[in-house]
Amino acid sequence: MAERRTVRISVDGGTLAVELGAGGRPAVLAVHGVASNCRLWNWLALETPGVSLVTPDLRGRAGSYPVGGPSSIRQHAEDLVRVLDALELSRVPVCGMSMGGFVAVELAVRRPDRVQALVLVDGGFPVAVAPGLTPGEVPAAFAAQLARVSRRWDGIEQYLAHFTAANPLLDARDPLLRDHLEHDLADGRVLLDREAVLSDATDVLFGEHRWRELTVPIEFVYAEWGSGPGTPPAYSASALAEFRAVLPTLGRPRRISGADHAATVMTRAGAAVVGAALHDVMMRCPG
């Protein structure tokens, strides 16, 4: 397991838990997804030993579970400015997965002075909304993800079995996955705020996003499948072509073959592709 330490940083409503990787520079801010935590980046840390990852638990999740107040893509971006200020990081590359990609885009558009470049992993650009889905139906759409919040778990083995049953491309024997899921649990409960998840998910699906205003270098990594083998991906070829047509700073999108949404970063193979994208976009950074 990569060496790390935890600091707490004041934001509106409480303090965020932020894990810092070993080493000094270069530092990269990495932002997890809607129902995840900072140790989503365990695999990337292993693949990028020369980089110091700065990985917050977003408000309402894991070590930042007690942070109060409303949650939104914009609020997370504001929280991350506080993180950069507290750590005296003037301008950094930012890597975001899924909902974290949307937060990274918001941060880069609102504060381009703080973001050198972006790596977006299966998120950050608009996704197709299921026909007929309305904001009021988001709780039903996310019922499976939130089912783990409403029960008490007998221990990590039970929780691990449940998680890998829902994500068949992940390896239950992987110590990095075990560490990630242990970070979720406290006294048999998953530290995940239901209202924060639903608010953020609604924002991702129905909010107004300013991706067309991006000016920084961007690498985009996406999964071959959505949720399990053979399922439709989050991003179609036509959507990817549109993004590239609009954004001259967007490199050629990289597909992770044989991976679904979770496996983009929670497997060694997926993290290797993300790590290569991070290396390449950092090489494109001005200065």
Side-chain angles (χ1 to χ4, degrees):
M1 215 74 66
E3 183 182 345
R4 60 197 171 209
R5 63 187 178 93
T6 302
V7 298
R8 300 205 68 91
I9 294 174
S10 294
V11 296
D12 293 343
T15 61
L16 286 189
V18 181
E19 291 193 345
L20 308 178
R25 301 293 187 270
V28 173
L29 179 63
V31 191
H32 65 72
V34 69
S36 191
N37 67 57
C38 69
R39 295 187 188 173
L40 178 76
W41 302 108
N42 281 349
W43 296 262
L44 183 61
L46 200 62
E47 294 294 331
T48 55
V51 169
S52 180
L53 293 181
V54 176
T55 56
D57 281 328
L58 298 180
R59 58 175 57 226
R61 283 85 171 173
S64 303
Y65 178 75
V67 179
S71 190
S72 66
I73 302 303
R74 179 169 181 168
Q75 181 62 63
H76 291 309
E78 292 176 358
D79 290 346
L80 295 182
V81 172
R82 299 279 191 94
V83 170
L84 296 177
D85 287 346
L87 298 177
E88 299 182 342
L89 296 171
S90 59
R91 198 162 184 249
V92 297
V94 181
C95 183
M97 188 268 183
S98 192
M99 185 270 286
F102 289 85
V103 176
V105 167
E106 179 75 8
L107 177 62
V109 169
R110 296 183 67 235
R111 293 300 304 269
D113 58 316
R114 309 305 296 271
V115 177
Q116 279 185 319
L118 292 175
V119 175
L120 304 177
V121 184
D122 230 29
F125 291 129
V127 293
V129 177
L133 183 68
T134 67
E137 294 167 331
V138 169
F142 279 78
Q145 291 92 324
L146 290 170
R148 54 195 165 119
V149 176
S150 59
R151 60 178 289 185
R152 182 177 293 276
W153 301 92
D154 291 339
I156 185 60
E157 297 298 341
Q158 185 186 43
Y159 185 42
L160 183 61
H162 170 86
F163 194 88
T164 52
N167 295 278
L169 296 179
L170 304 184
D171 184 357
R173 301 164 298 177
D174 186 347
L176 299 181
L177 180 61
R178 174 182 287 267
D179 179 70
H180 167 70
L181 295 179
E182 284 179 334
H183 192 58
D184 269 346
L185 291 177
D187 192 27
R189 295 290 187 184
V190 174
L191 297 178
L192 183 63
D193 185 276
R194 181 179 185 275
E195 295 310 313
V197 169
L198 293 177
S199 177
D200 293 342
T202 302
D203 207 1
V204 165
L205 294 172
F206 298 101
E208 185 175 349
H209 305 297
R210 298 165 58 189
W211 63 275
R212 290 179 176 83
E213 300 174 45
L214 289 169
T215 58
V216 300
I218 310 160
E219 293 290 336
F220 186 72
V221 181
Y222 67 103
E224 179 178 3
W225 305 313
S227 179
T231 56
Y235 293 96
S236 66
S238 60
L240 295 174
E242 178 191 352
F243 304 147
R244 291 201 76 201
V246 172
L247 294 174
T249 61
L250 174 60
R252 182 177 297 279
R254 306 170 191 230
R255 188 178 83 163
I256 304 178
S257 299
D260 64 1
H261 187 65
T264 54
V265 289
M266 299 175 77
T267 62
R268 291 291 301 271
V273 178
V274 177
L278 179 59
H279 172 271
D280 289 354
V281 85
M282 290 172 69
M283 295 297 291
R284 294 168 56 197
C285 289

